[in-house]
């Protein structure tokens, strides 16, 4: 199956700082999602981005499928951005499951 | 539009008891999924249903059964709960490759 790795594993930011999270995947895919798991455990869809760039408020994401990576940008971070960020790819031939990355644990401090 | 809903939010069971976790979606999605999330293990697929009337095993199906009651509802049953089934359970539904998750059920088996 596809291997999905994320970096950095942990990140501490001061409120207002910007950051870039990276997701590398081992095989060609035509789909990729970014999720935020907040401190209460909810998994929130951020982006469905198989290729190209999308923006939603302070967050944006870029996927370069040919080079097998995706980036999530967080600008002007807020304490509510804290939690774990996962990227995930769907493997129709691999049991029809989402394969999640290893996650980036983000803490935003005042 | 509630998205994916799950009941209950929390449950404590004694070893050997049975229970059913309920999941419903109002997005008219064909596919639905049950995952469990354990510390250090990420999310693992238990069962999925590609369409109404069909169900298939995922990575960790032992000890569970599922029912796709109709297009909206997909339930997960533990017939005889074991402490190893202590976990957070997520239901999801998808349109093509993009998955949407419910808020989760935190289950403790003592």
């Amino acid at each position: 199956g596809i291997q999905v790795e994320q970096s950095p594993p942990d990140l501490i930011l001061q409120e207002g700082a910007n950051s870039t999270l990276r997701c590398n995947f081992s095989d060609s895919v035509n789909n990729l999602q970014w999720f935020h798991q907040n401190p209460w455990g909810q998994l929130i869809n951020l982006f469905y981005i198989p290729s190209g760039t999308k923006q939603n408020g302070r967050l944006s994401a870029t996927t370069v499928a040919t080079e097998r990576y995706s980036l999530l940008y967080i600008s002007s971070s807020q304490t509510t951005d804290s939690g774990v960020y996962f990227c995930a790819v769907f493997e129709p031939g691999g049991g029809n499951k989402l394969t999640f990355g290893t996650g980036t644990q983000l803490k935003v401090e005042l | 539009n509630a998205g994916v809903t799950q009941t209950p939010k929390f449950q404590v069971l004694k070893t050997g008891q049975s229970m059913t976790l309920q999941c419903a979606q109002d997005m008219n999605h064909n596919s639905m999924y049950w995952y469990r999330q354990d510390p250090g293990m990420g999310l693992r697929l238990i069962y999925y249903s590609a369409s109404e009337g069909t169900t298939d095993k995922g990575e960790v199906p032992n000890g569970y059964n599922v029912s796709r009651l109709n297009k909206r509802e997909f339930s997960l049953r533990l017939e005889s709960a074991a402490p190893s089934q202590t976990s957070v359970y997520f239901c999801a539904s998808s349109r093509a490759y993009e998955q949407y998750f419910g808020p989760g059920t935190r289950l403790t088996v003592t």
Side-chain angles (χ1 to χ4, degrees):
Chain A
I2 293 176
Q3 305 300 312
V4 184
E5 294 186 357
Q6 293 183 240
S7 60
D10 298 281
L11 187 58
I12 299 175
L13 297 175
Q14 295 296 310
E15 197 173 44
N18 303 327
S19 62
T20 301
L21 282 57
R22 187 176 179 101
C23 172
N24 292 327
F25 37 96
S26 63
D27 205 351
S28 298
V29 296
N30 60 357
N31 67 86
L32 187 130
Q33 284 186 258
W34 281 97
F35 296 93
H36 175 213
Q37 188 162 36
N38 65 24
W40 295 271
Q42 290 182 299
L43 274 165
I44 300 163
N45 284 42
L46 296 177
F47 295 100
Y48 176 72
I49 183 161
S51 63
T53 297
K54 289 186 178 180
Q55 180 152 7
N56 184 0
R58 296 180 296 103
L59 272 59
S60 64
T62 296
T63 296
V64 184
T66 53
E67 298 187 23
R68 303 179 186 174
Y69 73 89
S70 183
L71 302 173
L72 178 69
Y73 305 94
I74 304 174
S75 64
S76 303
S77 58
Q78 300 176 357
T79 56
T80 52
D81 295 331
S82 297
V84 184
Y85 289 80
F86 292 103
C87 59
V89 297
F90 185 79
E91 300 185 70
N96 281 315
K97 65 181 177 76
L98 272 183
T99 295
F100 282 79
T102 46
T104 293
Q105 176 87 51
L106 173 65
K107 184 176 182 182
V108 181
E109 299 176 333
L110 291 171
Chain B
N1 188 344
V4 181
T5 57
Q6 292 182 235
T7 56
K9 288 186 168 54
F10 301 94
Q11 184 71 47
V12 179
L13 292 178
K14 294 189 188 315
T15 297
Q17 288 184 318
S18 61
M19 77 161 296
T20 299
L21 282 64
Q22 307 285 354
C23 174
Q25 52 93 9
D26 62 2
M27 296 176 282
N28 201 34
H29 288 166
N30 285 323
S31 300
M32 298 185 73
Y33 310 81
W34 277 104
Y35 292 86
R36 59 180 286 174
Q37 185 177 31
D38 303 294
M41 300 291 291
L43 277 86
R44 293 181 291 171
L45 182 67
I46 305 171
Y47 270 94
Y48 67 96
S49 170
S51 61
E52 186 179 353
T54 70
T55 61
D56 285 286
K57 295 178 181 179
E59 300 171 86
V60 288
N62 291 344
Y64 305 95
N65 286 301
V66 290
S67 296
R68 183 74 182 268
L69 304 169
N70 47 56
K71 192 171 186 178
R72 290 187 64 248
E73 299 172 290
F74 189 37
S75 62
L76 178 72
R77 182 159 179 86
L78 287 70
E79 290 290 353
S80 179
S84 61
Q85 295 178 304
T86 293
S87 188
V88 180
Y89 292 85
F90 288 97
C91 177
S93 68
S94 72
R95 171 195 311 123
Y97 299 141
E98 186 175 7
Q99 292 200 10
Y100 296 82
F101 284 79
T105 294
R106 191 172 295 273
L107 175 67
T108 302
V109 183
T110 61

